[in-house]
Amino acid sequence: MATEPTQGNDISKPGVKRMRWATQRVTSMHAQGKRNAITSRFHRGGHVAEKKRDSGGTDSGDGSNLGGVGRDTSGIDEDPPRRMFFNMPLPDDARDTDGRPIARFTRNKIRTSKYTPLSFVPKNLWYQFHNIANIYFLILIILAFFPIFGASDPGLNVVPLTFILFITAVKDAIEDWRRTVLDNELNNSPVHRLVDWNNVNTSEDKISVWRRIKKASTRGVMSIFALWRRKKKDKSLDGKTYTQRALDEPRASVETRRTKRDSAVLSQDSIGEEGIQMTPVPSPLPHTVPNGEDVMPGRSRSNTGFSYEDNELPVGAFNGPLGEDLKDDHKSINIPVKFHGSLINPLKQILEKARFKKDFWKNVQVGDFVRIYNDDPIPADIVVLSTSDPEGACYVETKNLDGETNLKVRNALQSGQKAKHARDCERMEFVIESEPPHANLYHYSGVVRWRQRDMKKPLEEGTDMAEPISINNLMLRGCSLRNTEWVLGVVIFTGEETKIMINSGISTRKRSRITRELNWNVIYNFMILLGMCIVSGVVNGVTWGEGNHSFVFFEYGSIGKTPALNGFITFWTGIILFQNLVPISLYITLEVIKTAQAFFIYSDTLMYFEKLDYPCTPKSWNISDDVGQIEYIFSDKTGTLTQNVMEFKKATVNGVPYGEAYTEAQAGLQRRQGVNVEIESAKAHKQIALDRIKMLEALRKIHHNPYLHDEQLTFVAPDFVADLNGAAGNAQRTANRDFMLALALCHTVITEKTPGDPPKIEFKAQSPDEAALVGTARDCGFTVLGRSQDGIFLNVLGEEKEYRVLNTLEFNSSRKRMSAIVRMPDGRIILYCKGADSVIYSRLKRSEQAQLRRDTAEHLESFAREGLRTLCIAQRILGEEEYQTWSKEYDIAAAAVYDREDKLEIVSDTIETELTLLGGTAIEDRLQDGVPDTIALLGDAGIKLWVLTGDKVETAINIGFSCNLLNNDMELIVFKVEDDTIVSAGKELEKHLAKFNMTGSDEELKAARKNHEPPDAGHAIVIDGDALKLVLTEELRQKFLLLCKRCKSVLCCRVSPSQKAAVVQMVKVGLDVMTLSIGDGANDVAMIQEADVGVGIAGEEGRQAVMSSDYAIGQFRFLQRLVLVHGRWSYRRLGETIANFFYKNMVWTFVLFWYQLYNNFDGSYFFDYTYILLVNLVFTSIPIGLMGILDQDVSDKVSLAVPQLYRRGIERKEWTQTKFWIYMFDGIYQSLICFFMAYLLFSPATFVTSNGLGIEDRERMGVYVACATIVVINGYILMNTYRWDWLMVLVVTISTLLIWFWTGIYTLFPGNSSIPFYMAGPEAYGQLSFWVLSLLTIIICLLPRFVCKSFQKIFLPRDVDIVREQIRQGKFAYLEQEDSSFLVSEKVSSADSTDSTNPKNAGHAVPRFSPDDDLRPIYPPSVAATGTTHNPRSQNGSDGTDYTGHRASLEQPPPRLSLDRPRPSFERLRQSMDRTRPSFEASDDFTSAALLTRMESSHSQTPTQRMPHGSSSLR
């Protein structure tokens, strides 16, 4: 893949983007043993042939099939491209005046930690004081140290802030220490780097004095920690016998003993080990069969992957079936083979000093040569030059990067594959032009340029050549090398510029709604505090100004000397005195509560998915209360509602339908028609079982397929096998063979071969659909064995053949298709294309295959109505000259550094025309367990579920019916725009809005924002991506939103990832509601991040959604517990906790304020100062914290049995501003009672004890008030708590007794308290008045609240009050007799459900214990329809897509039967459709048969109209 100067930009064809066999990991030798074997062979100088191993397999994936994510280049920086020079001097424009490189590249050392031992204290304090609460505390402490402000004990005032700062610092230190340890392990990991050669791209880094000091301090702390751990380990071994110590360690047997690999952190001694050169390790040939015999014994391979460089390929090069085919067809095939060149300059003189040496990751620099061994992690972003595989393939595991566990194939540059040794690296001379670093994990563009020299012509300058570099040639940091002995590469990005580091921390931090609203409540309290302090300052200043008060006889003048200054001082004194009014400690309490709630969610075993060993994992701990306010859920379909485990069920080939299946959607369709699905299901499954046996027998008669396993067969079609054997004639036989050949060749799958008898081949693909297609081809005798340099090995009905793949045009969300250009064994070039039906039909040859188009379209529509995912298969035979002309255009696009994907797409579009239709496929993606029940429960809770999917409309509609999202009582609004104009879309919206007497005005939007009631269940809307693009424009968005607001369900089909996010943003902002998005794939990341709460499902499409989510779950059904149980609990708990927190601070602070009325607001303390410090820290904090953590109004089982309880969260009634002010005024009232009850007791001034000593002083009166106030506060919290278990009562009791205990003990010792407070506790406790006053105060304070709550629960009960009463009556006792997961459906399809025809049970799981009806007080009613239900808006038995206003036929046509042979499954579905639809031709549904057959081939032009290949603008 090179270009010469005479060709301009005409760059030779790039490497084929392909997958190939992964070598199977052997178990007889460890990786380190392999390296030692390489070393020993090198030093012995001899060559030891490695025994060939059987091929294994890995996963495919080059990031191509990611729903458009791989093509998103928005994250690409606008920085200039970088150039890296290897073994050649820097040009003048790349050097500064001192001769050093101008480009400065980042170090490969990374640091995710924030602190160093020297910077921890100042930096941590700096970060902590970014919190306004800590600054507020600090100001109070500073003020308290000035005696002028009257703080009695400034030292004690420091304690709360110091405690908070210390605890936070310890937490930060532990977290940062863990990051530091991981950073050091990573930075000191070993890598083999080429040394003793000149890397001209970097200059020596000078280390400053300050950096040396930091390094020394860090090193010292690490060594101390290591010494401490060593001593701790030694102590743990002390006292153990030899036997005990031996049992602690594994004992290796003779057969399994291996040499251990190097430690992740190298010692300094290991760095200096002798470097070695690299010896190539042969890789097994992909066409080696299990018995060790070569399928093509006459063919040899070169290490570069090219065996022939002549323009003529001799027929004798091939033996076996392929060679026979060639001999029969042609004696000589003129196949041009391109010269790729080599980066090695054979004429370059070298010193041969360079060697590979073990070094630290942190020392790797841009431009370094590195080699990676099997199982080693990748230290930086590396371009692959060569690998141990003779064809340049290697395999990487990217789970640390994108969460996907499947392996990806990466290819070496064609021009670098000859590099095997260190001396080869010295001889290389080339330049890499690379795009700047960016965050897109699935995109990279670069070019390597060099001058090709010829040994035969040493005096010539050589030829300039180039080769494009793509993401398929790049190994990213964070990946690990798998199933490959070694890889040689060059470093292009290091440290913070690697893709994994750029993507670190990309998720935005979300704040819950309550937290956002809480800031205003804190501001309100601060305003009240300012008002109290201003009143105090003004009154005190005026009082001192009057000068005729009694205090002038007792005070020795004022501190401020002037009334104004006295008022100013009093103002700040009030800030200290009333500081608790601003609940700074509330934030700390909420963090503790939310952390505990996240732990409970993580520990819920009923949300644990055993198959993946995956619990519900909270990623954002601070938004648990938002989960309890969700009104709209936006869900993907594939992999979210369905299992994303694809099974090939049906196909249509040459107009003939094949396949027997009985799907969930088909059962739902028949159930709506009144058919007894139990009987129908039994008949269908019996027929399928018989057909399966018949098909397996027929397949084995054709040839003995060792890779066919009975249990893996999903495509049950004995008639297909018969036609494949010629039963329907040669034409159908050829069509079936071509169809299966297309499935076996058009893909990016790699194989995994498991030896055995019989052997087993599994296929690993980025998309489960692709694996299902290739798997079906295998079952039918077209087995993919593996890949070669640029070809695919197939076993075609017993014959081994190799097909050369010339180009693979990959799938993405905009193309909606993929193609493979293949050179057949007979020399022909055929383009195979598979994709969406609308895309393929638009590229078919004009005016050809009219009947085949109609038949295939009808079959595809019937498949879609069964809930199957459909694809079209087509092909095109290319001429040699036509392909070579197009290939040059493709090479130019592939060599582009910028916009490579866009240019490739333009070129690809020119060849994917004039196609010939072969047929179509239908794949089933079954619903996950419990999806219908979960959707029904969420709907009963008042939550609206919208499905945003990329599937076609018919598939989505049928899945909607099967999962209870749609029902037969709904009028289905299929929104479509004929001419794709905004004007037409607006008229369509107005027409549908008129059904609800709406116009889309601003007044209607305001009313909709206030209305949280679930809409009428009579309407549902379906819209596709093209129409959605129109209605999301600024002028139509509001009308569309109001229309959707009136619909029970919304299905958006054929939508892109950006459209998903736009829909979520429209609802979230337009209606001001809480939204939740749930998905499982990379195409769902945008909507997950856009929603208030994002939930990712750990499924088959990798973990991109999980990595970007706030909560990660294993199955969709777990959403019911997350939302209806934990979300509701969290929201209600936090709403009650915050209100009670404000209340208790209001009571305590206003008691101090009322006392100021009687001392001229001079700021003196009514209580001892220890009370003020401990009230929030000890006396009242634990009960209110326990309320937020453990309080429950009803159990989890009742929460699921009565999902309507969730609606208070949707309506946001648990935390409102009204509730805030009610609790505030309640606090003011109780503060009045607490203070003035004691005041009235002491006001007569005749209060003396029996011994004649008075206790009417301030400290003792404060004991009276403080003790009663704390009891009132804790009693009030207990009264507002729903769950009075032993723990809650015990904590409230201990917290209440604690103030009495503290007062009694603290005042016994004169050294602990001030002299006036000495013995205040015993003296107050000894008075009967103390206990009587406390009792009366508690009763009078709490009585109004008790009366109001009693009145509300008796005369104005809420839903939860009624349910709690019914729980007491035992009406929910049946829940305790069942498994707690009774609402999760059994693993039985709807077709097999014994209660599927019972309207009472439809849509809900039925408990195994069935109580009487009167014991089920509030159970969600069913909305499922049967054949006997009547709906004036719809037809009985509708299939769910006939609600578009077509005129029903007056006469139903008779059932149409196939004429050739019985096809039970197809005829069964066709008859069902004929009962409900006049004809396919009269239908106006999306992508229906009629629409497809009317579709013109817009992308296919006549030869005279098509743009000539040579006129491409890409030049």
Side-chain angles (χ1 to χ4, degrees), residues 1341-1358:
C1341 284
L1342 298 181
L1343 185 61
R1345 183 70 176 181
F1346 178 80
V1347 172
C1348 291
K1349 288 180 76 71
S1350 300
F1351 180 83
Q1352 178 265 315
K1353 291 181 181 298
I1354 295 173
F1355 297 103
L1356 301 172
R1358 298 171 184 162

Side-chain angles (χ1 to χ4, degrees), residues 682-738:
K683 290 167 56 179
H685 284 104
K686 182 179 179 181
Q687 180 66 42
I688 292 172
L690 295 175
D691 288 343
R692 174 189 291 271
I693 297 173
K694 187 185 302 181
M695 180 175 180
L696 290 170
E697 292 176 351
L699 283 172
R700 291 195 166 93
K701 286 181 180 179
I702 295 179
H703 88 103
H704 180 69
N705 185 356
Y707 307 106
L708 173 62
H709 295 267
D710 296 0
E711 70 279 2
Q712 294 182 346
L713 182 67
T714 60
F715 179 48
V716 179
D719 48 348
F720 177 86
V721 182
D723 291 350
L724 186 62
N725 211 22
N730 288 332
Q732 189 64 32
R733 175 187 179 184
T734 303
N736 285 6
R737 289 174 65 94
D738 290 344

Side-chain angles (χ1 to χ4, degrees), residues 577-619:
L577 181 63
F578 307 132
Q579 60 181 279
N580 287 331
L581 188 61
V582 179
I584 302 302
S585 57
L586 172 60
Y587 290 98
I588 302 171
T589 303
L590 292 183
E591 287 299 320
V592 174
I593 291 173
K594 290 181 178 181
T595 301
Q597 290 172 349
F599 174 76
F600 292 151
I601 292 174
Y602 179 79
S603 304
D604 191 342
T605 57
L606 296 180
M607 291 194 293
Y608 171 73
F609 189 40
E610 186 175 2
K611 180 181 178 182
L612 295 180
D613 188 25
Y614 203 86
C616 179
T617 306
K619 302 295 187 70

Side-chain angles (χ1 to χ4, degrees), residues 43 183 549 718 750 809 882-883 953 1099 1148 1189 1492:
H43 288 296
D183 288 347
H549 296 278
I750 58 177
L809 311 180
E882 179 186 15
Y883 168 74
V953 173
W1148 184 262
I1189 294 174
L1492 285 178

Side-chain angles (χ1 to χ4, degrees), residues 343-567:
L343 300 178
I344 299 176
N345 181 2
L347 303 177
K348 183 178 178 63
Q349 299 296 323
I350 60 173
L351 300 176
E352 297 192 10
K353 289 185 177 180
R355 69 192 193 281
F356 284 96
K357 179 182 176 183
K358 202 175 287 187
D359 203 349
F360 292 133
W361 275 23
K362 62 185 179 183
N363 296 331
V364 172
Q365 297 176 322
V366 170
D368 276 347
F369 287 89
V370 295
R371 72 175 177 198
I372 312 297
Y373 282 114
N374 189 34
D375 293 334
D376 281 351
I378 312 301
D381 290 354
I382 296 171
V383 172
V384 181
L385 295 180
S386 64
T387 72
S388 59
D389 187 273
E391 297 171 4
C394 64
Y395 303 91
V396 293
E397 185 180 66
T398 62
K399 66 180 180 181
N400 292 332
L401 195 66
D402 56 14
E404 297 184 14
T405 56
N406 55 344
L407 299 187
K408 312 286 192 306
V409 67
R410 293 294 180 258
N411 304 311
L413 297 178
Q414 297 283 2
S415 54
Q417 292 187 21
K418 292 183 179 179
K420 306 296 179 183
H421 307 282
R423 60 179 177 270
D424 295 333
C425 299
E426 282 189 283
R427 286 197 175 95
M428 285 185 171
E429 288 183 344
F430 60 95
V431 179
I432 290 181
E433 296 178 2
S434 168
E435 64 183 2
H438 59 80
N440 195 323
L441 296 173
Y442 311 105
H443 175 275
Y444 175 76
S445 295
V447 174
V448 56
R449 302 185 185 277
W450 75 98
R451 180 162 293 178
Q452 184 66 42
R453 303 293 297 273
D454 190 351
M455 285 285 291
K456 299 178 182 179
K457 303 175 182 179
L459 299 180
E460 293 186 2
E461 293 186 357
T463 305
D464 289 335
M465 304 186 73
E467 179 178 352
I469 307 173
S470 69
I471 192 66
N472 291 331
N473 309 116
L474 203 64
M475 295 197 304
L476 303 181
R477 177 178 179 140
C479 304
S480 296
L481 186 66
R482 296 284 187 257
N483 294 359
T484 308
E485 292 294 342
W486 54 261
V487 165
L488 173 65
V490 290
V491 177
I492 56 167
F493 298 128
T494 53
E496 301 296 332
E497 292 181 343
T498 57
K499 291 183 180 292
I500 189 174
M501 295 305 298
I502 295 175
N503 280 278
S504 298
I506 196 170
S507 298
T508 57
R509 178 178 174 85
K510 297 180 181 179
R511 299 175 66 232
S512 66
R513 176 183 286 270
I514 285 184
T515 302
R516 297 194 299 267
E517 296 176 350
L518 187 61
N519 291 334
W520 286 105
N521 300 114
V522 174
I523 292 174
Y524 297 152
N525 273 29
F526 191 75
M527 299 294 292
I528 295 173
L529 173 64
L530 289 180
M532 295 167 63
C533 294
I534 290 173
V535 170
S536 299
V538 171
V539 172
N540 186 261
V542 170
T543 302
W544 275 104
E546 292 177 352
N548 57 353
H549 296 278
S550 60
F551 63 80
V552 299
F553 301 105
F554 301 98
E555 299 285 349
Y556 298 97
S558 64
I559 297 177
K561 305 302 181 184
T562 63
L565 188 55
N566 283 335

Side-chain angles (χ1 to χ4, degrees), residues 1109-1399:
S1109 65
D1110 303 304
Y1111 293 88
I1113 59 179
Q1115 291 274 276
F1116 181 85
R1117 68 176 183 268
F1118 298 143
L1119 194 64
Q1120 60 179 328
R1121 284 191 63 84
L1122 179 63
V1123 173
L1124 301 182
V1125 178
H1126 293 282
R1128 196 183 71 84
W1129 279 350
S1130 298
Y1131 173 59
R1132 202 204 61 76
R1133 288 165 177 169
L1134 281 177
E1136 198 64 37
T1137 297
I1138 293 171
N1140 280 272
F1141 214 102
F1142 280 114
Y1143 149 80
K1144 75 181 184 66
N1145 283 11
M1146 183 65 70
V1147 173
W1148 184 262
T1149 304
F1150 266 83
V1151 167
L1152 298 174
F1153 182 76
W1154 303 135
Y1155 172 70
Q1156 301 303 310
L1157 296 173
Y1158 298 97
N1159 60 1
N1160 299 316
F1161 290 91
D1162 63 357
S1164 58
Y1165 289 84
F1166 182 46
F1167 305 131
D1168 183 74
Y1169 195 67
T1170 58
Y1171 287 172
I1172 296 177
L1173 294 178
L1174 297 177
V1175 61
N1176 278 330
L1177 194 62
V1178 177
F1179 297 150
T1180 60
S1181 60
I1182 301 179
I1184 202 167
L1186 204 62
M1187 167 194 278
I1189 294 174
L1190 296 178
D1191 191 27
Q1192 288 183 15
D1193 50 356
V1194 295
S1195 67
D1196 57 339
K1197 300 176 184 179
V1198 176
S1199 296
L1200 294 176
V1202 193
Q1204 292 85 351
L1205 296 176
Y1206 186 83
R1207 294 187 181 180
R1208 280 188 64 82
I1210 295 176
E1211 298 168 358
R1212 304 172 199 164
K1213 290 184 177 180
E1214 295 293 351
W1215 172 248
T1216 62
Q1217 295 304 309
T1218 302
K1219 182 176 183 177
F1220 167 77
W1221 288 112
I1222 288 175
Y1223 276 70
M1224 293 286 284
F1225 285 118
D1226 208 351
I1228 293 176
Y1229 159 75
Q1230 294 185 23
S1231 67
L1232 286 169
I1233 300 300
C1234 289
F1235 175 79
F1236 284 102
M1237 286 289 289
Y1239 172 79
L1240 294 175
L1241 177 65
F1242 285 95
S1243 60
T1246 57
F1247 204 93
V1248 295
T1249 63
S1250 57
N1251 59 8
L1253 299 177
I1255 58 171
E1256 67 277 7
D1257 60 285
R1258 176 177 59 89
E1259 282 79 5
R1260 283 150 184 80
M1261 183 179 177
V1263 173
Y1264 273 71
V1265 177
C1267 292
T1269 302
I1270 295 300
V1271 176
V1272 168
I1273 291 174
N1274 287 334
Y1276 189 85
I1277 294 172
L1278 185 63
M1279 187 181 298
N1280 291 326
T1281 302
Y1282 279 101
R1283 182 169 176 168
W1284 284 24
D1285 54 11
W1286 66 270
L1287 182 59
M1288 186 66 188
V1289 175
L1290 178 64
V1291 167
V1292 170
T1293 302
I1294 292 177
S1295 298
T1296 302
L1297 296 177
L1298 198 58
I1299 187 172
W1300 290 333
F1301 177 80
W1302 170 262
T1303 304
I1305 300 298
Y1306 182 74
T1307 58
L1308 287 178
F1309 305 99
N1312 293 338
S1313 57
S1314 60
I1315 294 177
F1317 199 48
Y1318 176 62
M1319 296 300 293
E1323 292 174 2
Y1325 295 164
Q1327 303 302 314
L1328 179 62
S1329 60
F1330 173 83
W1331 303 104
V1332 174
L1333 180 71
S1334 298
L1335 181 61
L1336 291 176
T1337 301
I1338 295 170
I1339 293 174
I1340 297 175
C1341 284
L1342 298 181
L1343 185 61
R1345 183 70 176 181
F1346 178 80
V1347 172
C1348 291
K1349 288 180 76 71
S1350 300
F1351 180 83
Q1352 178 265 315
K1353 291 181 181 298
I1354 295 173
F1355 297 103
L1356 301 172
R1358 298 171 184 162
D1359 292 342
V1360 69
D1361 299 324
I1362 297 175
V1363 171
R1364 284 169 61 85
E1365 290 180 6
Q1366 293 173 338
I1367 293 173
R1368 298 289 295 177
Q1369 296 170 0
K1371 292 188 176 182
F1372 287 92
Y1374 69 93
L1375 297 177
E1376 300 301 327
Q1377 303 177 29
E1378 304 169 358
D1379 184 3
S1380 57
S1381 58
F1382 74 98
L1383 286 173
V1384 178
S1385 66
E1386 298 293 334
K1387 296 183 180 180
V1388 179
S1389 65
S1390 58
D1392 298 330
S1393 173
T1394 56
D1395 297 304
S1396 56
T1397 57
N1398 186 354

